[in-house]
Amino acid sequence: MSIIDELLREDLRGRTPYGAPQLDVPVALNTNESSYAVPPVVVDEIVAAVAAVAPGLNRYPDREFTQLRGDLAAYLSRSRTTVSPEQVWAGNGSNEVLLHLLQAFGGQGRTALGFTPAYSMHPIITATTGTAWVDGLRGVDVEQGGGGAFDLSVGSAVAQVEEHSPNIVFLCSPNNPTGTALTLDVVTAVHDAAPHAVVVVDEAYTEFARPGTPTALTLLEGRPRLVVTRTMSKAFAFAGGRLGYLAADPQLVDALRLVRMPYHLSAPAQAIARATLRHADTMLATVDAIKEQRDRIVHELPGLGLHPVPSDANFVLFGGLRDSHTTWQALLEQGVLVRDVGIEHYLRVTAGTPDETTAFLDAVAALAPEHLEGQS
């Protein structure tokens, strides 16, 4: 053991960092980014916004990012509920927002529960705060009619919450990597079954949900322990801008000030996020096109011998593979990068442009039959 290993916190020894491959390939469909570039009209406004704040960079930014919170609240209020600026918090990507939640409500001697497979950063961020992580499970009551292998039913979720008595519960809807969404009765049942827990509903992909898929924003009123997290990385094509946010009770938001770093959102970050939000409709114009390619993948993969999971996100999890990593490598050799999410016999692909989707489907069609389960 090296001296650094000896000095490292014992609970972090032997862990591996987050590491989605960043490879130079013709078709990159592995990290659920938008394949569409920021439109020129928005680029022009971003450049102007940065130019406007640049002379004042000798001063610290607005610590409370007041104007940005107002813009985010206005955007969230376009749904079926009204959100006030006092209910909004933001950070450098939704991961920082999740970190703030765990720093404030987790820690040594406390437990976080998530229902896996789900977003891989939930347990990673949990570990960095010294919070104990519990792997809850999905699909555990399939044989009793509880739904598919990746579904989460009310009965199963409540039973697991009652068993572990967590301090924080993570619910992911639409879920990553499965693409499956939760019904609101699951959210309310988990909330009621965990009276001493903060319940976090991660809605990073909600703009891609199929019609009729509900948002937990409608449940915030009267539930001070409920949090809904969002991101601008996906539907807003703003992954490089690093802006995530949440909506919750103002008192919960106020508690996050205890753990954030001073001036954690730079003046340029606030300016470019606000410029992008002013063009929300333009930035979201590609959502329908991405959903069309997602549905195309779901429709065409069965004809190639694979089993896609119907998705409410901008990606598709597909199964039926004999060895997922071998198939991942075979697709990469054809210039198509998808994601090995660590679920045996499954891979995940982001819905990209029509040409990228065609390239992916052609690469799958070119695979030897030996890649499929049950084939020799």
Side-chain angles (χ1 to χ4, degrees):
M1 180 183 294
S2 71
I3 183 62
I4 299 303
D5 287 331
E6 291 180 12
L7 296 173
L8 186 65
R9 273 173 32 196
E10 186 174 353
D11 60 314
L12 295 180
R13 293 175 192 164
R15 291 182 176 270
T16 55
Y18 175 86
Q22 291 184 305
L23 305 177
D24 185 12
V25 295
V27 182
L29 299 174
N30 68 321
T31 53
N32 302 337
E33 303 157 308
S34 174
S35 292
Y36 294 91
V38 176
V41 64
V42 185
V43 172
D44 290 343
E45 183 140 353
I46 287 173
V47 171
V50 173
V53 301
L57 291 180
N58 58 306
R59 302 293 185 184
Y60 288 114
D62 174 15
R63 185 175 56 241
E64 298 303 319
F65 47 98
T66 307
Q67 292 178 315
L68 175 56
R69 289 167 70 199
D71 292 346
L72 289 167
Y75 171 69
L76 290 176
S77 296
R78 292 167 49 157
S79 61
R80 292 191 300 153
T81 190
T82 299
V83 176
S84 70
E86 293 74 24
Q87 292 179 270
V88 175
W89 188 252
N92 293 284
S94 60
N95 286 332
E96 185 176 47
V97 171
L98 295 171
L99 176 61
H100 290 163
L101 289 166
L102 281 155
Q103 287 175 315
F105 301 105
Q108 292 290 338
R110 297 193 175 194
T111 300
L113 168 68
F115 300 93
T116 54
Y119 183 37
S120 62
M121 284 302 298
H122 289 163
I124 292 174
I125 299 172
T126 296
T128 67
T129 63
T131 309
W133 173 262
V134 174
D135 261 324
L137 299 174
R138 294 171 175 269
V140 295
D141 54 357
V142 172
E143 294 181 359
Q144 287 75 42
F150 299 117
D151 288 341
L152 182 63
S153 71
V154 169
S156 172
V158 167
Q160 294 181 72
V161 166
E162 291 178 342
E163 176 184 357
H164 298 290
S165 299
N167 302 98
I168 301 174
V169 181
F170 287 104
L171 298 170
C172 210
S173 183
N175 185 49
N176 177 16
T178 65
T180 50
L182 294 174
T183 55
L184 292 186
D185 60 339
V186 174
V187 178
T188 56
V190 167
H191 178 274
D192 294 347
H196 303 293
V198 171
V199 177
V200 181
V201 184
D202 189 331
E203 292 190 344
Y205 299 93
T206 191
E207 286 93 348
F208 299 101
R210 289 171 289 183
T213 304
T215 169
L217 288 174
T218 60
L219 302 177
L220 287 177
E221 186 174 358
R223 294 182 175 88
R225 297 180 291 103
L226 184 64
V227 179
V228 179
T229 62
R230 296 281 187 94
T231 183
M232 292 181 67
S233 294
K234 311 303 181 183
F236 272 89
F238 200 68
R242 310 309 302 131
L243 200 291
Y245 57 105
L246 62 74
D249 184 87
Q251 187 175 355
L252 186 147
V253 169
D254 191 51
L256 301 181
R257 291 181 171 87
L258 299 173
V259 296
R260 59 98 179 265
M261 292 292 101
Y263 315 107
H264 70 290
L265 281 176
S266 72
Q270 294 180 45
I272 64 174
R274 294 195 67 217
T276 303
L277 285 164
R278 285 194 289 272
H279 290 274
D281 290 337
T282 300
M283 296 301 291
L284 296 173
T286 58
V287 166
D288 284 342
I290 293 169
K291 290 167 65 175
E292 183 177 344
Q293 297 310 305
R294 173 200 68 195
D295 295 342
R296 176 186 170 197
I297 293 169
V298 171
H299 176 73
E300 295 192 23
L301 282 183
L304 300 175
L306 296 173
H307 312 301
V309 178
S311 175
D312 281 294
N314 68 337
F315 57 83
V316 177
L317 184 73
F318 60 96
L321 302 170
R322 174 170 294 185
D323 183 285
S324 52
H325 186 72
T326 299
T327 302
W328 178 87
Q329 184 64 43
L331 292 174
L332 181 61
E333 290 169 0
Q334 297 184 66
V336 178
L337 177 62
V338 298
R339 187 68 178 271
D340 184 348
V341 294
I343 304 176
E344 192 174 5
H345 309 302
Y346 284 85
L347 291 171
R348 190 194 71 194
V349 60
T350 306
T353 65
D355 287 346
E356 288 174 333
T357 301
T358 296
F360 163 70
L361 292 171
D362 288 347
V364 171
L367 293 172
E370 290 77 13
H371 284 274
L372 305 180
E373 282 186 294
Q375 300 292 320
S376 59

